[in-house]
Amino acid sequence: MTETPTGSRDPDALVRRAGKRADTRQDQHFLVDDRVLDRIPEYAVETEMDLAHVLEIGGGPGALTDRLLAVADRVTVVERDRDFAAHLREEFADEVADGRLTVVEGDALDVALPEFTASISNLPYGASSEIAFRLLPHGRPMVLMFQQEFAERMAADPGTDDYGRLSVTAGHYADVEVVETVPKQAFDPQPRVTSALVRTTPREPDYTVPDDDFFMDFLKAVFTQRRKTMRNAVRNTAHISGLGDPDAVVDAADEDLLSARAGNLAPADFADLATLAYDVGDPEA
Ligand SMILES: C[S@@+](CC[C@H](N)C(=O)[O-])C[C@H]1O[C@@H](n2cnc3c(N)ncnc32)[C@H](O)[C@@H]1O
């Protein structure tokens, strides 16, 4: 335990007190740059995120946990590594005793998640996509660290090289912005690639879809063949192939969409086509 006030623990000292070498096969790359660590909660505070109960995935030695405890009423941290989970309980024993910190030892893809008001995490990159798509449907604002390339694809606009299925699926749940790129040197051990912080602001989509699962399947099918026109992209996909049938009755607006390529369509366009596919395709096929 330490007497250091919450929010100013030295990240290197935390790593030493954790008494464990980072295992990069477990995605253990720890943030050791105080300036980056201090800015992360700021991205939440400046947009007035509700910090009543912050969920952190992957606490590690606890440098970010420490910053979160300084701004949040309550924090739950999920950590898969048993030794780091034990270290977090010891390092923040006062906050655990006060009920301000809960340490859940387990895999973020499996454990029951608490009701949280925001998530702020430096994600394990090996599972960052799965974890993000487990969190996004909760409809809470988030500040998350990803590999830069992934972050840029998530935030990309239609018509850009980075725009793809990831942009549309993430954008289905939230507005996504890259707020900062983070160099490798901010971590120890350093990851192989540059990182980036993403802020997500949940919103209801400005379109409707037949159902979310069908929409996600539809996007997967059309982006697998992103260089083809939509009509050709759906032709070999059994349950939506009715849409690619030249005899299918579609109105002029949808005809235009079917002649376009996925990379140039906006989310609302995909929603229109998914609705049409739902109506003309054979869901049993
Ligand atoms: C990139 S480190 C971040 C650690 C710390 N938050 C920081 O910023 O320095 C990711 C952490 O997630 C943990 N982790 C890896 N995979 C996990 C999973 N599937 N579920 C929960 N924690 C995981 C690792 O043990 C590691 O402590």
Side-chain angles (χ1 to χ4, degrees):
M1 234 205 284
T2 148
E3 295 305 311
T4 314
T6 302
S8 56
R9 281 173 169 82
D10 172 28
D12 293 312
L14 280 168
V15 172
R16 278 197 301 279
R17 285 202 288 277
K20 187 179 162 87
R21 286 174 77 88
D23 179 351
T24 54
R25 288 166 309 173
Q26 304 294 324
D27 294 315
Q28 293 175 348
H29 299 275
F30 305 129
L31 267 172
V32 291
D33 185 323
D34 278 310
R35 291 160 304 178
V36 178
L37 280 161
D38 290 343
R39 278 197 295 271
I40 294 177
E42 270 305 305
Y43 291 119
V45 171
E46 72 187 18
T47 50
E48 298 179 1
M49 282 186 199
D50 179 353
L51 302 179
H53 187 177
V54 172
L55 174 66
E56 183 193 3
I57 304 295
L64 184 57
T65 316
D66 179 54
R67 268 54 174 190
L68 297 180
L69 282 165
V71 294
D73 297 335
R74 202 182 145 198
V75 175
T76 293
V77 53
V78 178
E79 171 57 60
R80 191 174 62 178
D81 185 306
R82 175 192 299 194
D83 298 327
F84 282 123
H87 156 78
L88 290 165
R89 287 196 189 98
E90 193 176 332
E91 179 72 34
F92 299 102
D94 289 349
E95 288 79 5
V96 171
D98 291 349
R100 290 191 58 230
L101 177 66
T102 305
V103 180
V104 177
E105 183 190 323
D107 189 321
L109 295 174
D110 297 332
V111 293
L113 297 177
E115 285 293 320
F116 57 94
T117 59
S119 180
I120 304 177
S121 310
N122 173 18
L123 292 177
Y125 293 160
S128 58
S129 174
E130 291 94 329
I131 294 172
F133 281 97
R134 191 166 183 214
L135 299 181
L136 277 164
H138 285 258
R140 301 298 188 187
M142 303 194 281
V143 178
L144 302 175
M145 182 91 76
F146 292 100
Q147 297 188 5
Q148 181 186 19
E149 193 231 312
F150 185 90
E152 281 174 358
R153 286 197 285 126
M154 214 172 153
D157 290 324
T160 62
D161 286 349
D162 286 333
Y163 184 69
R165 175 157 76 108
L166 180 59
S167 333
V168 186
T169 46
H172 182 63
Y173 299 105
D175 286 323
V176 181
E177 52 182 325
V178 175
V179 289
E180 176 173 341
T181 56
V182 181
K184 302 170 194 178
Q185 293 76 11
F187 301 83
D188 185 23
Q190 293 184 15
R192 269 179 290 142
V193 293
T194 304
S195 299
L197 280 163
V198 158
R199 177 165 56 203
T200 69
T201 307
R203 56 156 174 68
E204 289 298 317
D206 53 3
Y207 50 79
T208 53
V209 291
D211 79 72
D212 274 14
D213 288 344
F214 182 85
F215 188 50
M216 296 301 155
D217 277 0
F218 177 81
L219 292 171
K220 187 171 181 185
V222 298
F223 274 107
T224 305
Q225 310 191 58
R226 57 178 290 147
R227 306 214 178 280
K228 296 189 173 175
T229 63
M230 291 292 285
R231 187 185 290 288
N232 288 333
V234 299
R235 203 162 262 157
N236 297 325
T237 303
H239 65 296
I240 54 175
S241 60
L243 191 57
D245 180 343
D247 298 329
V249 182
V250 294
D251 67 23
D254 289 328
E255 196 57 58
D256 282 350
L257 297 182
L258 283 169
S259 307
R261 288 175 174 73
N264 294 320
L265 294 182
D269 299 331
F270 291 110
D272 275 358
L273 287 178
T275 306
L276 200 63
Y278 195 76
D279 293 341
V280 304
D282 177 0
E284 302 303 318

